[in-house]
Amino acid sequence: MVPFSLCPSSSYPPPPSFKLYHKSRFTVTTLSGLCGRKRRSGSSCRLVVLSTHSNPKILKSNRRSRYGQPRSPYDQDDDEEVSRASDVSDDDWLLNDDFAEISEFDVNRKRSKSHKGFANGHSDGRNSKHTLEKSNAANYYNSSNQTNDVSSLDVPRKGKLSTRKAMEDRFPRLSEEVELDEKWLPLIDYLSSFGLKESHFIQMYERHMPSLQINVCSAKERLEYLLSVGVKQRDVRRMLLRQPQILEYTVENNLKSHVAFLMSLGIPSSRVGQIIAAAPSLFSYSVENSLKPTVRYLVEEVGIKEKDLGKVVQLSPQILVQRIDISWNTRLNFLSKEIGAPRDSIVKMVKKHPQFLHYSIDDGLLPRINFLRSIGMCNADILKVLTSLTQVLSLSLEENLKPKYKYLVNELHNEVHSLTKYPMYLSLSLDQRIRPRHRFLLSLKRAPKGPFPLSSLVPTDECFCQQWAGTSLDKYLDFRQRLLLKEFAKKYERKG
């Protein structure tokens, strides 16, 4: 809302941004409200107030809530944000770990304000020499000799009306939700080729409205460059929804320098596209003032060797854009106090599974450590398991760790201490590997008496058939398929 004061008295001349056509009666409007507004009837003279400030989060006043109730243009859209988020696929590369707190690199999941530049506010002048093509706001009003109403929008041309009508017919929901400008249509058409729908454009509008004002040729140049360095076509939609500002980043002054930085870490060119798709917000961070200092901290403070940096970043691209000092120190202190882990062991954990630096301590690390304690492990055993298989910290308790432990004790007749020798057991699939191999050896009467050897679960299927089953791979795969169907039928009956 634009603060101002008006006085109809002639003793105070109007400011330069005002144009007074009649003293007796006037209407106040802002520049942001002019775009796309329908003609209003009436012959009253008007005062048009132009303002260079606009709030893209203010939508049409005739909007209604999802429950059909009238809404104020200043209502918050938090309830709709939830429903729109469901349109985004959940197949993010490397983002499927339980309790991985990856959230657009905004720890508190605060919604970025669309009228501010970058969502997370970590860019600076030297970093973001990007080009934002703004639509021309000139010639918004035009005088007429036949009417006292001076807004040019009250004298629409047939071409504009037909274009707007076609646009509203094609994008009814988008036209209803936002003040849609026909100048955006070429860009919307182009982005639709990546699978974006109306709900996605609304989400982009509310997240960062200027991204829809980009010239379509510039957008093509930038996205085609990203595709050329390995970003997959299917990942573009998710990237734009998470970081619509990416359309504003110029190739020469931003994209190329960030790609060169990634390759300088030892990341092969074949993996650069995956890194970008997993962490598109890295383009909003200055290479010199943010990304390079983060890398130096990993080397000098955490203790990651330079030769291992590429591997660590490939495993967890988000490590480049998080507050690594806070993440590292809090988890270092926690593991040192909770299980007596020495610094060297925690560094090994970071190298093997850097994602754990994103995991919540209260909801992620501590419950899993307590589970290992509950089955009889001491701190030394827990440390050995976590150092060998840090991925344990990402596994679901109810769907993964607990069922595997029960099968280990009740079916395989092993003791818990066997997990310190074969911690890999906890990372194997119960349905796809552990149960089929155990049942297959039992059916062949080749299972040894006593505790079932966990070493038989480690090799590949082909080696398992040669060394343990003494039969063909096809025979084992057929047995496993029938077992999986049988187990699926049992689960279906229980649910029914």
Side-chain angles (χ1 to χ4, degrees), residues 400-468:
N400 204 310
L401 294 178
K402 290 182 179 180
K404 288 176 185 176
Y405 171 69
K406 290 179 181 178
Y407 198 87
L408 175 76
V409 175
N410 299 331
E411 302 293 335
L412 303 183
H413 307 294
N414 271 255
E415 300 293 336
V416 68
H417 65 79
S418 61
L419 293 177
T420 59
K421 187 175 181 181
Y422 292 102
M424 184 184 291
Y425 170 85
L426 294 172
S427 67
L428 301 175
S429 170
L430 180 59
D431 293 329
Q432 296 283 346
R433 179 172 292 199
I434 298 173
R435 185 183 290 114
R437 291 194 181 185
H438 173 233
R439 297 281 179 84
F440 188 58
L441 291 182
L442 288 177
S443 69
L444 297 175
K445 300 186 186 306
R446 295 182 67 94
K449 294 182 179 180
F452 186 81
L454 300 186
S455 56
S456 65
L457 305 174
V458 177
T460 63
D461 288 341
E462 189 173 5
C463 291
F464 165 74
C465 291
Q466 291 176 355
Q467 299 173 8
W468 293 90

Side-chain angles (χ1 to χ4, degrees), residues 291-400:
L291 300 180
K292 286 185 177 180
T294 296
V295 169
R296 282 197 299 272
Y297 189 91
L298 287 171
V299 173
E300 298 172 4
E301 299 296 330
V302 178
I304 303 296
K305 295 180 180 179
E306 289 188 18
K307 65 178 183 179
D308 295 324
L309 282 173
K311 176 185 175 183
V312 168
V313 172
Q314 288 180 69
L315 289 172
S316 180
Q318 294 77 21
I319 202 170
L320 291 174
V321 292
Q322 70 177 136
R323 283 295 305 273
I324 188 62
D325 53 341
I326 296 176
S327 299
W328 163 251
N329 286 317
T330 53
R331 284 149 187 81
L332 173 66
N333 293 334
F334 169 75
L335 292 173
S336 299
K337 293 178 181 178
E338 190 69 24
I339 59 175
R343 184 187 183 93
D344 291 345
S345 296
I346 302 175
V347 172
K348 289 180 181 178
M349 295 182 197
V350 175
K351 287 172 57 179
K352 290 186 175 183
H353 192 69
Q355 295 94 323
F356 97 91
L357 292 177
H358 312 312
Y359 300 162
S360 165
I361 290 177
D362 293 333
D363 297 329
L365 307 187
L366 187 57
R368 282 143 188 80
I369 290 174
N370 286 338
F371 168 74
L372 296 176
R373 284 197 182 112
S374 70
I375 63 176
M377 285 191 181
C378 62
N379 285 346
D381 292 336
I382 295 173
L383 177 60
K384 188 173 181 179
V385 169
L386 294 184
T387 305
S388 301
L389 191 75
T390 314
Q391 291 91 327
V392 167
L393 296 172
S394 71
L395 301 178
S396 167
L397 285 173
E398 299 301 327
E399 301 296 328
N400 204 310

Side-chain angles (χ1 to χ4, degrees), residues 150-164:
V150 297
S151 173
S152 66
L153 297 179
D154 289 333
V155 194
R157 291 173 296 187
K158 292 182 179 180
K160 281 189 175 182
L161 281 176
S162 61
T163 302
R164 173 162 293 281

Side-chain angles (χ1 to χ4, degrees), residues 3 47 77 105 119 130 182 217 230 233 254 266 292 308 372 378 381 410 439 455 471:
L47 170 65
D77 292 330
F105 318 113
H130 60 275
E182 54 263 32
C217 294
Q233 177 103 1
N254 188 300
K292 286 185 177 180
D308 295 324
L372 296 176
C378 62
D381 292 336
N410 299 331
R439 297 281 179 84
S455 56
T471 187

Side-chain angles (χ1 to χ4, degrees), residues 14-50:
S17 60
F18 296 172
K19 192 168 184 180
L20 188 59
Y21 292 90
H22 200 282
K23 294 182 181 180
S24 61
R25 192 173 179 182
F26 54 81
T27 300
V28 179
T29 184
T30 62
L31 181 59
S32 61
L34 288 171
C35 181
R37 183 164 300 170
K38 297 181 180 178
R39 180 176 179 178
R40 296 181 181 176
S41 61
S43 60
S44 61
C45 298
R46 296 185 176 182
L47 170 65
V48 178
V49 181
L50 296 183

Side-chain angles (χ1 to χ4, degrees), residues 156-174:
R157 291 173 296 187
K158 292 182 179 180
K160 281 189 175 182
L161 281 176
S162 61
T163 302
R164 173 162 293 281
K165 182 66 168 63
M167 187 169 56
E168 291 177 351
D169 290 343
R170 186 175 175 187
F171 302 105
R173 181 182 171 190
L174 184 60

